[in-house]
Structures are given as structure tokens and as C-alpha cells.
Amino acid sequence: RDRDEILIHSADQKVLSGTMFSRRLTVNVEHFAGKTAFLFGGEWFEAGGWVEKREDRIDDQHISLDFESKSSFAGVSGYVYYHTADHAQTLVLAFSCPIMTPPCFTARAASTLPDCQALWERVPDLARPGAGLRRAEGCAWETLELKDEHVVMRCVIQPLSDQSPGGGPGEEFGNRLAKARWCRSTLSDAQIGIASPPNDRTAASSSSATEAVATRPALVERRVVLEVDNRSDETFVLDGEWMESGQWSGRPPFGLTKKSATKVELASEDFFRGVFGLVWFVGESSLDVYFSAAFCNPLSESATFNAWVGPPPAELLQEMHCAPSVSSYQGVQVPAGRGVAWNVIEKGSTLHVRIVILEDPAPMDITAYPPQALLDELKKMEVQQEAETVAPRPKAKAASKRASTASAAAAAASLGAREREGGGAASVAAAAPPVTAAAAAAAAAAA
């Protein structure tokens, strides 16, 4: 019986967890690009996957592609792609529906398969339902339903410009398509293997991008992007990290290869805190040269950054809390004796810093740790604590003095009252308790 109750409780907890943090994405695909079917070509999921079985074909009829999260804290994120039998046209759907940040979506139906991973990395936020169509090469889409736990999209595949029309969804859709804005991710299509849009489309995309950035909530995203150009002969491998808030955007980098550039990205993980942390790398061959970086991109204050190459700081955590604001940096920063230079490329929701590890970084001298200044400071703190422990409490002295004064004043008042009653000095002296000189002086001072 106890075992059955435990199993029922576990099942209830699983259902409750899945209900609270589940994410689901439904893409209703409408195929108007001819009578040739699109065949499944590949997929990649950072998190989540298909709801049930994978859809292997998109015929000339409507079909729904359903994706969902598979754990309580990861959401559903990735891409899938399809292609025609002759590979004349491809369809890529890239999406991200995380737990804490807004959902994102984009699509392409071009004649060539783009760099799907790069497209997924550039996926923009969704528009609100009723905000109109967004379009890209060979397709258009709109948001039908936008809830925390379920997002429903409509994606229409169109024929390419050199293909015969496939019928189309109707005149009304054609009018809406003529007014549709180009997805702002199309501005970088040339970098993912798709021809850039003409100038008029670029202008429309720029306008759409400006508006989207202006209306994007400030609380939903904070990022830190570090472009590290390692010009030394030493490959640095990741040795440690410490995150007060934020996390890696994707997989953590294994290392910083010598004579090459590496991009390190981190992102906020909830609505209420930005990115605040440390990373450090150590030389793979010598193990006595470090690259250390402290960064902070909060929600309401200015971002901070600092970096070192060679010997690491003695108190890296303390350096993180006192790192200078990037608003104080003007141009390229080359701190003396650090073996590193950097330039802040972008501020705001994304802190983008370009870093150069200079040639021949200085090795660490292990005998210099901990530094003498730190030891002196610790010794000073110990002496101060001992002095506070041995010394009497000032408050106790003051309380004792006030008590003596009050007692003396009360005795003096009693003496005066008896004397006024006519008992005379002698009777008063006989009846009153003995009063010391110190008490008398205290009574006089109180009077």
C-alpha cells in the first residue's frame, strides 16, 4: 500500500511539473509551391522534439508540425528542414520556445539550403497575433496563438520566382503579402548562404528591425558576447566558471585555440536578473598562463567588464564586484602589464566585447600568491577582531553610569523630603542610609 501511494504521488508530481513548465509549438504549413511534395531532410533540437511521430512529407495539402518540450526547464528549440525530390526548393523552420524568454520563429523556402545552425542563432522574436505577416525567401508566416504553454504559427510556402504559380491561398492573402514586412533576420541572409534581398526589401527589413528592437521588452534578454582573438602561441582551455546569474548560450567553449578567434556567448536565464559572472582559461601546455574575464550586464545599471592574461588576479571574485563600467571606456583599452586589449563594440541588452590576447603572455609566479598586501589586510582584520573581543562594551559602561546616577539622585530626593518634614538634620542623618562622596557628586551633577 505504501509503495502504491508513493507511485501515485510521483505520477502526480510529474503531471504537475509538466503542466507548469511545458512548452509546445504547432506550425500549420500550407503548401502552395506546386504539386511536388517536400521530403524530410534533417533536424536538430537543442531542447525538446516532436510531440509524437515525425512528419516525413509535406504534400500539397495542409499539415501540422507539432513540437514540445521534453523536460520541465528546457522548453523546445531547434530546426527542421525539408526539400523537394529534385532539391529545387527547400523549407527550413527555425524556432525557440524557452521557459523564461519570449518565443522566436523564422523560416526560409529558398532554392538552396541555408546554414541552418546560423539561421537558428539569428531567430527573432515572434510578432503578436494580428500584427500581420512576416516574410522571407519563398514563404510567409504569422502568429495565430501566443500563450506561455502553446504557440500556434501559420506558415505558407510560396513558389519561387522562376517557378509556375501553385494556386495561392487567395486574393486576400496576396494583398496581405504585398504589405508584409520582411523578417529582420533576412538582413544577414548572405552570411547563411541565401542571396540578400533587393534594396527595397532591405529598407523594409531595416524599418521592421528598428521597430522590433524598440518595442522589445527590456526585461526579456541580457547577453554577453566575447570575441577572443588569441594571437599567442598558447591554446587556452576552459578551467572554470562562476555565474551569479546567467548561463552559457549553447555549449560552453572547450578552449581558445592559438592564432585564431573564438566567440564566447552567455545569456540571462530569467526575467529579473541579467548576466553576472566570471570565466577563466588556462594554458594547455604550460598550465601557468591564464585568461580571466569578469563581466556584468544587469537589467537597470551600466554593464561592467575587465580582463587579464598571464598571472590571474589574487581575488577574482572581488575583481568581479569592482569591475569598471564600460561607459567609462573610450576606444581600445590596453591596461599596462595585463597582456590583453579589448574594445567594447556594443552596449545595451547585448554587451559585445572584442578581446585580443597579446603575444608572449607572462607566466604566473606561484610564490607571489597570496600577495603580501592581502596578507597584511587579513592580519589587520584579525588584530581588530581580537581587540573588539577583549575590550569592554561601551554600552555596558554607559548603562552602569546611568544607573549609579539615578540611584544617587533618588537618595538625594529622599533626604530632601525628610528634611522638609521637620525631622532635622540629625534625624535625617540617622534615618538615611550612608551616601558616598561619589554618589553625592553624581546627585549634584544630576541636579
Side-chain angles (χ1 to χ4, degrees):
R1 181 179 176 181
D2 294 340
R3 183 187 62 183
D4 293 340
E5 290 179 353
I6 292 173
L7 292 176
I8 293 174
H9 179 71
S10 301
D12 291 342
Q13 291 296 322
K14 182 180 292 185
V15 171
L16 178 61
S17 177
T19 303
M20 292 177 61
F21 299 106
S22 64
R23 292 294 182 268
R24 182 168 179 171
L25 171 67
T26 300
V27 183
N28 298 326
V29 180
E30 301 178 14
H31 178 9
F32 292 100
K35 296 184 178 181
T36 303
F38 282 80
L39 309 177
F40 175 79
E43 64 184 27
W44 175 83
F45 293 102
E46 184 193 41
W50 296 91
V51 172
E52 294 180 354
K53 66 181 184 67
R54 182 181 66 203
E55 298 292 346
D56 293 327
R57 290 175 62 92
I58 300 177
D59 295 309
D60 56 349
Q61 298 178 353
H62 303 341
I63 190 172
S64 295
L65 308 180
D66 286 316
F67 311 94
E68 67 176 358
S69 57
K70 301 299 183 182
S71 66
S72 299
F73 304 100
V76 55
S77 179
Y79 63 81
V80 296
Y81 71 88
Y82 295 79
H83 59 81
T84 57
D86 57 357
H87 292 270
Q89 189 173 8
T90 63
L91 171 66
V92 180
L93 306 176
F95 48 86
S96 177
C97 297
I99 299 297
M100 293 297 183
T101 54
C104 306
F105 181 87
T106 192
R108 299 292 187 276
S111 58
T112 58
L113 182 66
D115 185 340
C116 299
Q117 187 71 31
L119 178 63
W120 175 80
E121 293 175 355
R122 293 166 170 80
V123 60
D125 293 352
L126 282 179
R128 297 175 179 270
L133 292 170
R134 294 292 184 268
R135 65 183 301 184
E137 185 68 24
C139 61
W141 61 90
E142 62 181 331
T143 306
L144 299 181
E145 184 178 341
L146 182 58
K147 297 180 180 179
D148 287 342
E149 68 278 1
H150 193 193
V151 176
V152 181
M153 302 294 300
R154 177 196 184 194
C155 181
V156 179
I157 309 174
Q158 302 171 268
L160 297 176
S161 58
D162 57 347
Q163 294 178 347
S164 59
E171 182 179 356
E172 179 184 356
F173 180 84
N175 294 333
R176 295 181 61 201
L177 183 62
K179 301 177 182 178
R181 295 176 177 174
W182 286 80
C183 179
R184 71 175 185 266
S185 64
T186 58
L187 293 172
S188 58
D189 272 0
Q191 303 176 19
I192 62 173
I194 299 178
S196 299
N199 293 334
D200 58 338
R201 298 183 185 179
T202 304
S205 298
S206 300
S207 175
S208 175
T210 302
E211 179 180 350
V213 172
T215 59
R216 183 171 185 159
L219 295 179
V220 300
E221 180 188 44
R222 284 296 183 270
R223 301 180 68 86
V224 173
V225 178
L226 308 179
E227 289 188 23
V228 185
D229 183 6
N230 184 8
R231 300 183 181 179
S232 71
D233 294 325
E234 183 75 56
T235 294
F236 293 81
V237 295
L238 182 62
D239 187 49
E241 63 188 67
W242 188 90
M243 300 293 175
E244 183 171 307
S245 62
Q247 61 185 357
W248 294 104
S249 180
R251 292 184 178 180
F254 173 76
L256 310 174
T257 308
K258 60 183 179 181
K259 303 296 183 182
S260 65
T262 305
K263 180 181 289 188
V264 178
E265 296 190 37
L266 305 103
S268 56
E269 55 187 338
D270 56 47
F271 285 107
F272 308 105
R273 298 188 297 174
V275 183
F276 192 19
L278 305 164
V279 294
W280 60 93
F281 298 75
V282 65
E284 186 177 26
S285 61
S286 62
L287 299 179
D288 61 358
V289 179
Y290 284 82
F291 166 70
S292 311
F295 44 81
C296 177
N297 194 11
L299 296 180
S300 58
E301 301 177 357
S302 176
T304 62
F305 178 80
N306 215 343
W308 302 261
V309 171
E315 290 291 335
L316 189 56
L317 185 61
Q318 182 179 354
E319 296 290 347
M320 181 188 72
H321 289 284
C322 62
S325 171
V326 297
S327 60
S328 63
Y329 293 150
Q330 298 294 332
V332 179
Q333 306 296 309
V334 190
R338 295 266 195 98
V340 64
W342 67 81
N343 189 19
V344 178
I345 306 300
E346 183 181 355
K347 308 172 188 176
S349 61
T350 298
L351 173 62
H352 188 173
V353 185
R354 187 167 295 157
I355 307 167
V356 176
I357 297 177
L358 305 180
E359 298 179 355
D360 301 325
M364 177 183 67
D365 182 8
I366 193 63
T367 61
Y369 293 87
Q372 188 61 41
L374 180 60
L375 293 176
D376 295 342
E377 184 68 21
L378 292 175
K379 184 64 177 177
K380 182 178 178 180
M381 293 174 60
E382 291 177 358
V383 172
Q384 185 176 0
Q385 290 177 355
E386 291 178 358
E388 292 177 353
T389 304
V390 174
R393 297 181 179 178
K395 291 184 179 180
K397 282 186 174 182
S400 176
K401 184 177 181 180
R402 285 196 299 269
S404 299
T405 303
S407 299
S414 177
L415 286 173
R418 293 184 182 183
E419 187 174 358
R420 285 192 298 272
E421 291 175 356
S427 61
V428 169
V435 180
T436 63

